[in-house]
Amino acid sequence: MESAPTSLVFKVHRHEPELISPAKPTPCELKPLSDIDDQEALRFQIPSIQFYRYNPSMKGKDPAKIVKEAIAKALVFYYPLAGRLREGPGRKLMVDCNGEGIMFVEGDVDVSLDEFGDALHPPFPCLEELLFYVPGSSGILNCPLILVQVTRLRCGGFILALRLNHTMADAPGLVQFMIAVGEMARGASVPSVMPVWNRHIFEARDPPCVTHTHREYDEVPDTKGTIIPPDDMVYRSFSFGPTEISSIRRFIPPHLRHCSTFEIIIACIWRLRTIALRPDPKQEMRMILIINARSKSYSPVPEGYYGNAFVIPAAIATAEELGKNPLGFALEKVRKVKTEIDGEYMKSVANLMVLKGRPNFTVVGSYLVSDVTRVRFREVDIGWGMPAYGGPAKGVGPIPGVISFYIPLKNKKGEDGIVIQLGLPAPAMERFAQELGSMLKEQNTPGSSFIVSAL
């Protein structure tokens, strides 16, 4: 699988930013977020991006105008997204539903979609041009909750980039809103799935009571600033097609071969990443999983709910255990954590947030991978058909080296694969690539889709 050309450089000619308010009057009220929504770990802006090809049936139509009008119509139903966050006692977040609107930017660039390369995936060149930082718009409190930029391309296609205040929605919730925008753009008068607020389903008890152990929020002494020094980071993308996945499965014991591809790959990366970092052998290393409650049997989440509906439990082992044991050891740890999550665990997290001041997850020794392969980014049709790429705008999260996205990808043969972008100190990155290359050596043939692309 090829990576996007990092040599592509361009400048977007932008109009002045503006605010889009709901197309009709909406309720003015204060709506508290849930105790899952307003934890410290979600108080950041998360970017996504959609690439749309030229569609002859839409010739002469302006995507920026269509998106802008569709957003205004969708905000009638999703009116809290047009409000502003306020913070109350105990750091409790609430939405002031005042209809101020979301930030909107439109622009043009003298670049065609083909110039981005055959395999569209992060990192994207000149992302700061495609998702412009509007001064004063990126805070968590008292700022627009969404920023949208539509950039028209020379070829007739366009790029829709979006930045969301993560406390308002998770990835499925964001895509639910984006699909509604697409439906409005194509002439619908109401969304096919009506939004549901219901943030009370993840409220803490009164009085709060934690019923589970939550090692993902351990208070760990950070004696070295962080295990990964941010000033020595190298980012590379690693893609895995059927050949690579089959190769890794050779190292899985028979009783674990039913495990999902996601579980196997993250267990592999957790182990090799730990070996590459060379931490103290007794250092606890955390593989943090994202478990979304949607569609689970224990789930209280109704259809249409667009708030954050996930927890982040951690598989934990020492660096020595991960290095000395075979891959099955790490995989067992990952599987065990997943089986322990239930509805009570989610309630317990909400209670912990209230009791402990809404802490961040433990960063020291941690690695988190967010699987977006089942999130429907690629089903957002604005009228130009399905996007050539839809998903995270960046392959890594806001904490250097700690968060990665597990992104779907197709190779030239049409085979499904995934790509993961890692950030590591330069020496550790070389060790990681060597370790992974060694695992894949027997099957890393000319027909393989495995790549390591320096960024």
Side-chain angles (χ1 to χ4, degrees):
M1 298 179 183
E2 297 180 5
S3 63
T6 54
S7 58
L8 182 61
V9 177
F10 53 82
K11 179 81 173 173
V12 173
H13 300 282
R14 287 178 295 272
H15 297 205
E16 284 295 312
E18 56 185 307
L19 290 171
I20 304 177
S21 297
K24 297 177 182 178
T26 53
C28 294
E29 55 188 347
L30 274 177
K31 297 179 82 71
L33 296 189
S34 80
D35 291 316
I36 295 289
D37 289 322
D38 63 6
Q39 58 187 293
E40 184 64 35
L42 298 181
R43 297 186 184 207
F44 71 97
Q45 305 282 349
I46 186 165
S48 67
I49 195 165
Q50 314 281 118
F51 289 76
Y52 293 93
R53 297 191 185 280
Y54 169 67
N55 185 333
S57 69
M58 301 299 284
K59 186 176 181 180
K61 296 186 178 179
D62 179 7
K65 181 176 184 293
I66 288 174
V67 169
K68 182 178 173 182
E69 291 175 353
I71 287 173
K73 292 175 183 176
L75 285 176
V76 173
F77 303 93
Y78 288 85
Y79 65 90
L81 296 178
R84 299 293 183 268
L85 278 185
R86 318 296 187 203
E87 190 174 61
R91 303 186 71 218
K92 183 67 183 174
L93 293 181
M94 57 200 77
V95 187
D96 180 1
C97 300
N98 55 19
E100 280 191 45
I102 72 169
M103 187 70 72
F104 182 79
V105 180
E106 67 176 283
D108 299 271
V109 65
D110 188 23
V111 172
S112 69
L113 186 54
D114 289 343
E115 291 178 69
F116 283 86
D118 293 331
L120 287 168
H121 64 76
F124 297 108
C126 302
L127 180 60
E128 70 283 356
E129 288 289 315
L130 299 171
L131 190 56
F132 179 62
Y133 169 76
V134 178
S137 72
S138 61
I140 299 303
L141 303 176
N142 310 313
C143 286
L145 298 171
I146 297 179
L147 183 150
V148 173
Q149 179 173 331
V150 174
T151 304
R152 293 173 287 256
L153 302 171
R154 184 179 64 219
C155 59
F158 67 97
I159 297 170
L160 190 161
L162 183 150
R163 192 189 68 202
L164 166 76
N165 184 322
H166 204 335
T167 62
M168 290 298 295
D170 57 13
L174 169 62
V175 168
Q176 180 182 306
F177 170 70
M178 293 171 68
I179 287 175
V181 170
E183 290 171 341
M184 299 296 169
R186 302 194 317 275
S189 57
V190 296
S192 59
V193 176
M194 293 298 289
V196 173
W197 184 257
N198 283 21
R199 305 292 168 117
H200 65 275
I201 63 176
F202 292 127
E203 280 184 0
R205 302 178 179 89
D206 186 14
C209 176
V210 176
T211 56
H212 283 62
T213 300
H214 298 285
R215 298 291 312 277
E216 63 271 30
Y217 298 105
D218 282 353
E219 295 181 23
V220 178
D222 193 356
T223 56
K224 299 178 182 177
T226 170
I227 283 185
I228 302 173
D231 58 347
D232 184 27
M233 297 296 291
V234 173
Y235 292 92
R236 292 185 184 176
S237 291
F238 297 84
S239 76
F240 300 82
T243 304
E244 293 73 46
I245 293 165
S246 174
S247 185
I248 294 171
R249 281 187 179 274
R250 292 180 298 125
F251 296 90
I252 303 301
H255 72 286
L256 291 174
R257 286 187 183 153
H258 64 284
C259 292
S260 70
T261 297
F262 174 70
E263 292 164 347
I264 290 169
I265 289 179
I266 64 168
C268 176
I269 291 178
W270 182 30
R271 180 175 182 271
L272 298 188
R273 181 180 176 276
T274 299
I275 293 170
L277 283 169
R278 294 180 176 172
D280 183 298
K282 302 303 180 187
Q283 168 73 50
E284 284 189 331
M285 307 299 287
R286 288 168 169 76
M287 181 70 241
I288 296 180
L289 312 175
I290 294 183
I291 309 294
N292 203 299
R294 288 177 174 81
S295 76
K296 299 290 194 299
S297 59
Y298 57 76
S299 173
V301 181
E303 184 183 20
Y305 187 80
Y306 60 102
N308 292 282
F310 64 89
V311 288
I312 52 171
I316 301 176
T318 66
E320 184 175 45
E321 288 173 330
L322 289 168
K324 288 187 174 181
N325 285 292
L327 179 57
F329 173 83
L331 185 54
E332 288 268 24
K333 290 278 186 181
V334 168
R335 286 287 297 176
K336 185 174 186 296
V337 165
K338 289 186 70 175
T339 60
E340 292 173 347
I341 304 305
D342 56 17
E344 181 55 39
Y345 189 97
M346 298 199 69
K347 292 177 185 176
S348 183
V349 171
N351 284 264
L352 180 144
M353 289 300 135
V354 173
L355 286 173
K356 293 199 171 183
R358 313 186 192 281
N360 203 346
F361 68 88
T362 306
V363 173
V364 178
S366 294
Y367 181 54
L368 183 154
V369 178
S370 178
D371 180 4
V372 297
T373 56
R374 296 182 184 178
V375 181
R376 301 187 299 157
F377 281 106
R378 298 195 182 194
E379 296 180 25
V380 179
D381 181 1
I382 309 294
W384 275 257
M386 299 307 177
Y389 171 86
K394 295 181 177 180
V396 292
I399 306 173
V402 174
I403 302 175
S404 296
F405 290 99
Y406 184 93
I407 298 172
L409 191 65
K410 283 189 183 291
N411 65 12
K412 289 184 175 180
K413 299 177 185 177
E415 297 172 326
D416 290 321
I418 63 98
V419 62
I420 295 180
Q421 187 179 353
L422 258 65
L424 289 169
M429 182 63 79
E430 289 305 313
R431 291 191 290 267
F432 178 88
Q434 288 171 6
E435 292 281 350
L436 182 57
S438 178
M439 281 191 75
L440 302 175
K441 191 172 183 180
E442 286 186 22
Q443 296 191 29
N444 193 14
T445 64
S448 168
S449 59
F450 173 64
I451 60 164
V452 182
S453 60
L455 310 178

